[in-house]
Amino acid sequence: MFWYDHNVGGWGWFAMFVGTILFWALTITFGVLLYRALAKPGRSSDRSDARPPGSSPEQFLAERFARGEIDEDEYHRRLTVLRETTGCGPRPSQR
């Protein structure tokens, strides 16, 4: 009944080797994906121009002007458009 003396043949060793590699690859992949999903749950995208939750659009525009991303003319033009569309805030003086 036991013709092969309970030894694993050549294909048996190969199947165990491949099975072990697949097992660890899937385990590590699952761990990495789980870590990435749980590490930063509130972060939906990596936008560099994302505003903090409490800041107003005018503050955001002022920050961009302070960083040098926009010049003074563009700042005043956008501020005027922003205030006209929202309907609040004082009108900037014309130069």
Side-chain angles (χ1 to χ4, degrees):
M1 183 164 173
F2 299 106
W3 294 299
Y4 295 108
D5 196 28
H6 302 292
N7 289 333
V8 178
W11 286 109
W13 285 106
F14 179 74
M16 282 194 315
F17 175 74
V18 171
T20 303
I21 297 296
L22 286 174
F23 170 76
W24 284 111
L26 290 173
T27 302
I28 291 170
T29 302
F30 177 73
V32 168
L33 292 175
L34 182 65
Y35 173 76
R36 290 179 71 184
L38 298 177
K40 297 177 182 167
R43 195 171 190 185
S44 61
S45 65
D46 290 335
R47 292 178 46 205
S48 61
D49 62 346
R51 290 188 287 132
S55 66
S56 70
E58 291 180 8
Q59 289 173 338
F60 180 64
L61 190 61
E63 289 172 7
R64 288 190 62 198
F65 177 62
R67 285 191 302 255
E69 294 178 6
I70 57 176
D71 60 358
E72 185 177 0
D73 293 332
E74 187 175 359
Y75 170 74
H76 287 296
R77 182 174 45 82
R78 289 182 181 219
L79 187 63
T80 302
V81 170
L82 183 66
R83 288 182 176 166
E84 286 174 355
T85 57
T86 58
C88 61
R91 304 265 187 240
S93 61
Q94 297 294 333
R95 298 187 287 143

